[in-house]
Amino acid sequence: MPIRRPRQGRWSDRKLLVLACVSGLVLILLPPLLFTVLRPLGSSLPGSGSPGVPAGGPAEPPMPPAQLSEPMPAAPANLDSTNRLVVLARGWNGEVQRTFQREPGSQPVDWHPADTPPGRKIVGQPVLAKSADGKMSGFAISTDGRPLFADDISSTAAHLPEWRELPGQRLQGTPAAMQAQDGRFVVFARDVDGALWETHQLAPAGADWSKSQRLDLPPVQGDPVVFRDIHDKLRVFALGEGGAVHTLTETGPDTYAGDRLPGAVAGSSPAVACDGQGRLQVFTVGIDGALWHTNETGPASGEWVDWRPLGGKGQFTGEPLVAADPHNTVGVYAINKADGSLMHSFQVGMAKEGWAEPFTLLGSLTQLEAVAPDVNGHMVVFGIGINGAMEQNYQTKRAGGPWKGWMHSFGGTFPQEQSSSP
């Protein structure tokens, strides 16, 4: 006779099979359900919008404030202590103009005069940097060759401070400024003969400044730029004669040693940033119109690799802009000579040793003004269009975009030839 299995065993097998199926369905359906429930919470985080995108737009959490408050070189656009972008520019009448975000990550307001003294015009660009006490300070050079300083140009200041003169004379172009290791502002500028001069605060956030001292460097043809390396030493770069880039390295309190980068390809003032490996990266539009690049061989090493081109000869014009995003990926921006579109490249690869082939962000620009991250870590680029208005483009996501597209309603009327390089 055939042997029958107990019915109880079959029923147990069926129960196990049903339980496994139900568990599988739960694992499949649970993540989408949680995403649907929790997504509104993420989109309501403060400051989650991008410039020009209302709150509740792309929902990326803000970058930690500590990453946004590191001392950076003075630039026309910078984040103030409330993480709002503040932008300065030289208007068509030579006066300093100011705009700012009402809220972190929002659209900037209309342009307003930045209270330059009546009848006082400036040359070059005005720039902003955060002081040791957290205030946003402004620097510029007047048409009579005097350096100017304003100690609080934030988005929350009820009244802008009076611009006052710093030590120095016969200066031209755009000044370079940055906090030294001890928090004192140090300012560099070139005179009409190409000599480079320096003045500094006597105490962090103090009202008194040193006498202006001439630095031991051959004459320069473009405005200086300054960056603080990972050893907290100030490093100054400037375009010299014959395509050379001259450098100064801080050797002690208010003392500097001069040198030059190897090779002679530069045709514009250099642009400088520090990457995630602690190496300074330097870019210039070359004598041949190509975008040239060099970097230190190691963190703050002072030794440099050979210049390498990014993009073809005759492709670029003006001065490039360069900045590191909150992930320490360096990106470079330059204007396409053929049609005024903005070209962009950034570091690629696991060790970030390579560079993406320059690609277009479109636009029709005559002058690059500034690039800076907003509160969300989205890079924002400002430039002057062919109609003289300030325009902006920005990433809708961190680390490479995509980009929103040029906004032509940013407004203002600005000179279209502000470059100080030959």
Side-chain angles (χ1 to χ4, degrees):
M1 295 180 62
I3 299 176
R4 293 185 178 182
R5 293 187 179 182
R7 296 181 62 86
Q8 183 178 1
R10 292 181 182 180
W11 178 241
S12 298
D13 291 344
R14 289 175 182 173
K15 287 196 292 183
L16 288 173
L17 181 60
V18 170
L19 181 61
C21 291
V22 171
S23 300
L25 286 172
V26 170
L27 290 174
I28 292 172
L29 296 175
L30 184 59
L33 180 62
L34 289 175
F35 177 80
T36 302
V37 172
L38 297 178
R39 185 178 181 182
L41 298 177
S43 64
S44 64
L45 288 169
S48 61
S50 294
V53 178
E60 286 189 277
M63 297 300 294
Q67 288 185 259
L68 297 167
S69 59
E70 291 291 329
M72 294 296 292
N78 246 317
L79 283 170
D80 69 7
S81 58
T82 66
N83 285 330
R84 294 170 171 86
L85 272 177
V86 181
V87 186
L88 294 185
R90 178 168 64 96
W92 65 270
N93 58 358
E95 295 180 356
V96 181
Q97 302 289 311
R98 176 187 70 142
T99 186
F100 56 88
Q101 295 174 324
R102 291 191 185 277
E103 299 294 337
S106 68
Q107 173 68 17
V109 301
D110 293 337
W111 291 93
H112 296 282
D115 289 1
T116 318
R120 203 68 177 269
K121 314 294 185 180
I122 68 165
V123 295
Q125 295 177 341
V127 292
L128 292 159
K130 200 174 294 183
S131 64
D133 58 1
K135 294 179 180 179
M136 187 67 77
S137 299
F139 302 86
I141 295 174
S142 66
T143 52
D144 58 1
R146 302 282 185 173
L148 302 176
F149 171 66
D151 63 4
D152 189 3
I153 308 184
S154 72
S155 59
T156 57
H159 302 285
L160 292 181
E162 181 181 352
W163 291 77
R164 60 189 183 90
E165 290 185 357
L166 297 181
Q169 57 185 342
R170 300 180 68 245
L171 302 178
Q172 63 177 328
T174 301
M178 190 169 188
Q179 284 187 42
Q181 181 181 12
D182 60 4
R184 296 175 303 136
F185 271 137
V186 183
V187 182
F188 304 89
R190 62 187 175 113
D191 68 16
V192 294
D193 298 319
L196 203 60
W197 295 79
E198 179 264 7
T199 185
H200 55 267
Q201 286 177 314
L202 298 182
D208 297 324
W209 290 73
S210 71
K211 293 181 179 180
S212 183
Q213 66 162 329
R214 180 171 178 168
L215 300 174
D216 186 15
L217 200 69
V220 299
Q221 295 184 323
D223 296 327
V225 295
V226 61
F227 212 96
R228 205 169 85 194
D229 67 22
I230 62 169
H231 297 323
D232 285 326
K233 301 295 184 184
L234 293 180
R235 309 276 293 278
V236 183
F237 301 80
L239 174 67
E241 296 180 352
V245 174
H246 295 295
T247 70
L248 287 167
T249 300
E250 185 181 16
T251 55
D254 314 316
T255 60
Y256 302 87
D259 202 352
R260 58 177 285 174
L261 300 187
V265 301
S268 75
S269 290
V272 183
C274 187
D275 67 14
Q277 284 74 44
R279 302 168 303 183
L280 292 182
Q281 304 273 347
V282 179
F283 296 83
T284 180
V285 171
I287 300 170
D288 61 357
L291 182 62
W292 289 84
H293 160 247
T294 184
N295 59 266
E296 291 181 299
T297 57
S301 67
E303 301 292 330
W304 300 86
V305 303
D306 292 337
W307 289 97
R308 304 183 298 278
L310 284 174
K313 294 182 179 180
Q315 186 174 1
F316 300 98
T317 186
E319 299 176 6
L321 291 178
V322 62
D325 68 16
H327 299 291
N328 291 319
T329 297
V330 173
V332 60
Y333 307 81
I335 294 177
N336 188 331
K337 185 177 182 179
D339 58 8
S341 61
L342 185 63
M343 305 297 290
H344 175 42
S345 180
F346 54 88
Q347 290 178 306
V348 294
M350 293 296 293
K352 297 183 179 179
E353 295 289 347
W355 291 86
E357 185 70 21
F359 61 94
T360 182
L361 297 180
L362 302 179
S364 185
L365 305 177
T366 61
Q367 179 76 23
L368 273 178
E369 290 290 298
V371 57
D374 71 1
V375 67
N376 298 311
H378 302 162
M379 303 305 293
V380 188
V381 182
F382 300 91
I384 298 174
I386 57 174
N387 62 352
M390 189 74 72
E391 302 180 9
Q392 68 169 352
N393 197 351
Y394 59 89
Q395 293 173 323
T396 58
K397 289 186 178 180
R398 293 194 288 267
W403 291 75
K404 177 68 175 180
W406 291 96
M407 296 185 64
H408 305 280
S409 59
F410 192 47
T413 304
F414 302 92
Q416 295 176 289
E417 296 293 337
Q418 296 192 37
S419 174
S420 56
S421 292

